[in-house]
Amino acid sequence: MAATDPEPPATTRPSTTARSRAKDHSPWNWLLFVPIVVPLIPVLFNGDSPRILGFPRFYWLQLTYILLGVATTTLVYQMTRKRGGR
């Protein structure tokens, strides 16, 4: 008895949210490169001073990058979200 191949699943249309997300080409999205590129600049890490609360620049700069990423992501989200009712 030969096994029969099941029929391939019917193609389904993507949901509207997936389609609208794929077409979102807002210039605000370019700001998301800022928290990626800024920590890659080695000149910012090259030094011990200034110290803040006894912490060398490297450590408090890492915390600053986290805040930069959160602020940038929040700004881009607020500027690109769709307005209106559900």
Side-chain angles (χ1 to χ4, degrees):
M1 185 176 225
T4 60
D5 291 332
E7 285 189 32
T11 57
T12 58
R13 294 175 52 119
S15 67
T16 23
T17 57
R19 278 186 280 160
S20 65
R21 204 173 334 133
K23 293 180 182 179
D24 184 18
H25 297 293
S26 172
W28 286 100
N29 291 337
W30 286 102
L31 278 178
L32 294 174
F33 281 111
V34 171
I36 295 171
V37 173
V38 169
L40 297 175
I41 302 172
V43 170
L44 299 175
F45 294 105
N46 191 16
D48 187 40
S49 62
R51 288 180 170 254
I52 296 179
L53 298 174
F55 291 103
R57 180 181 0 182
F58 176 80
Y59 294 108
W60 60 260
L61 205 53
Q62 294 297 313
L63 295 173
T64 305
Y65 292 152
I66 292 170
L67 296 175
L68 175 68
V70 169
T72 305
T73 304
T74 302
L75 176 68
V76 170
Y77 172 75
Q78 292 295 325
M79 299 309 288
T80 59
R81 73 178 172 161
K82 304 289 186 234
R83 306 268 187 217
R86 290 183 171 187

